[in-house]
Amino acid sequence: MTTQKLRLPRFLRSSHGPNLSMQMMGVGLGITLMFVFIALFSPLFISWGWLTDPTEFLSHPIHDAPSWDHWFGTNRLGYDVFSRTLMGSRVAWQVVILATALSMAIGVPLGLVSGYLGGKLDRTLLFLMDTIYTLPGLLLSITLAFVVGRGIFNAAIALSIAYVPQYYRVVRNHTVSVKTELFIEAAQAMGASTWRVLSRYLFLNVIQSVPVLFTLNAADAILILGGLGFLGLGLPEQVPEWGNDLRQALDALPTGIWWTAFFPGCTMTLMVVGLSLLGEGLNEFVNPKMRQE
């Protein structure tokens, strides 16, 4: 009797076997889109009465175990863990998107100007960005959180500073390599201004790695945001944020109340895994030389 080998769909196969980068992107994109859907529609579910308000004190006793009424149980403040876990994805997206947008808005223009102009400006910015880059992201965010205070916008500022050097370095290095191409020299010979060269010719040629960096930074930012919340430096306690919920669940774990930490922790891990898989898959797709045939 002969056995037939399982064959992957055509779009998941390369000429040398399964295309791992496409599989990673597919799984990561599916997980990421699921959290995007939850973040977008959770407020509607609350308004329609399908989901409990995550900041509403329930009449039931605190630390209720998971049941039909409360699928993930309740925490020590009497909040519904299920609704807080779902709404936590919305808060995470708000902070992460704002933080990465601020990082890109600062790092990308600085990288373009620094790489194109060179000279003392380039050396000064390189020294400054390398100094920031050597600092651990969580430690830097903790320090900034003490300065700017708590809140969604303040947490985004605390996170964004840590990622500016990454966008700067990627864009600056690409700019240095691209600015010697013939089409750039031709534009300069025709009298194109520095702004025109940067915005029209260089920007679109060096920006392709930024989406990859965004997904990887987003995964890292979720972990750092959770760390800030766990330390009590992120968002106010009543805000449904996974780090806050893990901090509130810490004292209850020794007494066997596992659900208040298990569900927020697993959800945060799943979102980080999804973004990481998406970022790694995009990275291999954008940079074919990194693929292992």
Side-chain angles (χ1 to χ4, degrees):
M1 180 181 295
T2 60
T3 58
Q4 185 176 6
K5 293 183 178 180
L6 179 64
R7 292 177 61 84
L8 293 171
R10 183 182 298 272
F11 71 93
L12 293 180
R13 299 199 306 270
S14 66
S15 58
H16 299 281
N19 191 332
L20 184 59
S21 64
M22 291 296 293
Q23 295 180 57
M24 287 194 299
M25 276 197 298
V27 174
L29 181 62
I31 296 174
T32 301
L33 289 178
M34 177 186 71
F35 280 103
V36 170
F37 176 84
I38 292 173
L40 289 176
F41 292 98
S42 291
L44 288 178
F45 296 157
I46 293 174
S47 64
W48 294 340
W50 297 357
L51 195 64
T52 305
D53 188 336
T55 60
E56 176 186 351
F57 291 99
L58 303 174
S59 58
H60 302 280
I62 62 174
H63 286 156
D64 267 2
S67 63
W68 183 254
D69 292 330
H70 305 290
W71 293 355
F72 291 177
T74 61
N75 65 9
R76 70 176 181 86
L77 297 177
Y79 293 138
D80 182 73
V81 177
F82 179 70
S83 63
R84 288 184 66 84
T85 300
L86 293 188
M87 284 297 292
S89 64
R90 182 178 179 86
V91 174
W93 277 122
Q94 289 175 335
V95 175
V96 166
I97 290 177
L98 185 55
T100 50
L102 289 172
S103 301
M104 284 189 286
I106 299 172
V108 172
L110 286 180
L112 279 169
V113 173
S114 178
Y116 182 69
L117 297 181
K120 292 183 178 180
L121 175 65
D122 183 44
R123 292 192 295 271
T124 302
L125 287 174
L126 266 177
F127 175 79
L128 177 62
M129 295 300 170
D130 286 345
T131 302
I132 299 175
Y133 189 72
T134 58
L135 299 174
L138 179 58
L139 179 61
L140 181 60
S141 299
I142 289 174
T143 304
L144 292 173
F146 276 113
V147 177
V148 299
R150 305 175 73 177
I152 290 180
F153 185 73
N154 291 340
I157 293 176
L159 290 171
S160 64
I161 302 301
Y163 301 121
V164 169
Q166 298 184 34
Y167 290 102
Y168 166 83
R169 287 156 61 101
V170 168
V171 173
R172 183 258 177 195
N173 292 340
H174 282 193
T175 302
V176 170
S177 62
V178 172
K179 73 177 183 178
T180 58
E181 298 289 340
L182 291 178
F183 69 94
I184 299 295
E185 294 180 356
Q188 293 170 337
M190 294 176 63
S193 64
T194 299
W195 168 251
R196 185 174 181 84
V197 172
L198 289 175
S199 61
R200 182 169 182 177
Y201 299 103
L202 279 174
F203 179 76
L204 294 178
N205 284 278
V206 303
I207 204 68
Q208 69 269 16
S209 294
V210 169
V212 178
L213 197 56
F214 167 80
T215 55
L216 297 176
N217 282 346
D220 186 61
I222 290 171
L223 291 176
I224 294 180
L225 177 64
L228 291 177
F230 187 78
L231 295 172
L233 300 173
L235 305 179
E237 191 174 58
Q238 69 272 16
V239 176
E241 191 272 315
W242 296 322
N244 278 345
D245 291 343
L246 290 175
R247 179 168 57 88
Q248 295 170 15
L250 186 62
D251 295 335
L253 282 176
T255 63
I257 300 173
W258 54 269
W259 55 88
T260 55
F262 177 79
F263 293 113
C266 288
T267 306
M268 180 171 64
T269 302
L270 181 61
M271 187 172 178
V272 170
V273 169
L275 286 168
S276 299
L277 288 175
L278 179 60
E280 292 295 338
L282 281 173
N283 195 28
E284 292 190 15
F285 185 78
V286 172
N287 302 292
K289 293 182 180 179
M290 296 183 61
R291 300 178 193 166
Q292 296 180 356
E293 301 293 348

